[in-house]
Amino acid sequence: MKLKIAEVSLDNGNVELIFDGLMQKEDFNLILEKFAKIKGVKVVKETEDELGKACLLSYGEFEFVLVYSSDSFVWNYVYAVKKENHKLLKKLCENFAEII
């Protein structure tokens, strides 16, 4: 089963990929498992508090962050550390998700 991702452009110029329908903290681990199955993806650092969870991942020299946030909205999303790597992140996500 492929996950669905919506691409969202924020006011600050950042672009995030939001996992459609995956709005629980438990879904974070499901998404993390999907990334872990991609050869070359490594967990660099993971952090968690009462409002969220984040994981810095790498794929070669390319770094991206998977986030669960329940601050004002509840969602799981991913973004590239460097904006210019957003297209690479989308391509990586297409291994297990459909961009809607």
Side-chain angles (χ1 to χ4, degrees), residues 49-64:
D49 64 23
E50 66 277 354
L51 294 176
K53 191 171 184 175
C55 190
L56 176 63
L57 299 156
S58 69
Y59 183 69
E61 297 294 314
F62 162 58
E63 292 185 325
F64 58 101

Side-chain angles (χ1 to χ4, degrees), residues 16-59:
E16 296 176 351
L17 299 173
I18 298 173
F19 290 89
D20 188 51
L22 299 178
M23 300 167 67
Q24 304 299 318
K25 196 170 189 175
E26 297 78 34
D27 294 329
F28 180 93
N29 291 329
L30 169 77
I31 299 164
L32 187 58
E33 287 174 17
K34 297 283 188 183
F35 277 117
K37 289 180 182 178
I38 299 171
K39 186 178 179 174
V41 172
K42 296 181 178 140
V43 174
V44 176
K45 186 177 180 181
E46 199 168 342
T47 184
E48 184 173 2
D49 64 23
E50 66 277 354
L51 294 176
K53 191 171 184 175
C55 190
L56 176 63
L57 299 156
S58 69
Y59 183 69

Side-chain angles (χ1 to χ4, degrees), residues 2-100:
K2 277 201 161 196
L3 303 178
K4 295 186 185 291
I5 297 176
E7 185 173 28
V8 176
S9 296
L10 304 177
D11 291 338
N12 64 5
N14 289 341
V15 181
E16 296 176 351
L17 299 173
I18 298 173
F19 290 89
D20 188 51
L22 299 178
M23 300 167 67
Q24 304 299 318
K25 196 170 189 175
E26 297 78 34
D27 294 329
F28 180 93
N29 291 329
L30 169 77
I31 299 164
L32 187 58
E33 287 174 17
K34 297 283 188 183
F35 277 117
K37 289 180 182 178
I38 299 171
K39 186 178 179 174
V41 172
K42 296 181 178 140
V43 174
V44 176
K45 186 177 180 181
E46 199 168 342
T47 184
E48 184 173 2
D49 64 23
E50 66 277 354
L51 294 176
K53 191 171 184 175
C55 190
L56 176 63
L57 299 156
S58 69
Y59 183 69
E61 297 294 314
F62 162 58
E63 292 185 325
F64 58 101
V65 181
L66 174 63
V67 179
Y68 165 79
S69 175
S70 65
D71 192 4
S72 53
F73 295 98
V74 178
W75 55 17
N76 283 286
Y77 63 96
V78 64
Y79 66 91
V81 172
K82 293 182 179 177
K83 289 184 213 178
E84 60 268 18
N85 288 329
H86 178 71
K87 287 182 182 177
L88 180 57
L89 178 59
K90 276 178 68 173
K91 188 168 178 67
L92 195 62
C93 288
E94 288 173 347
N95 282 291
F96 62 85
E98 173 188 357
I99 309 293
I100 55 172

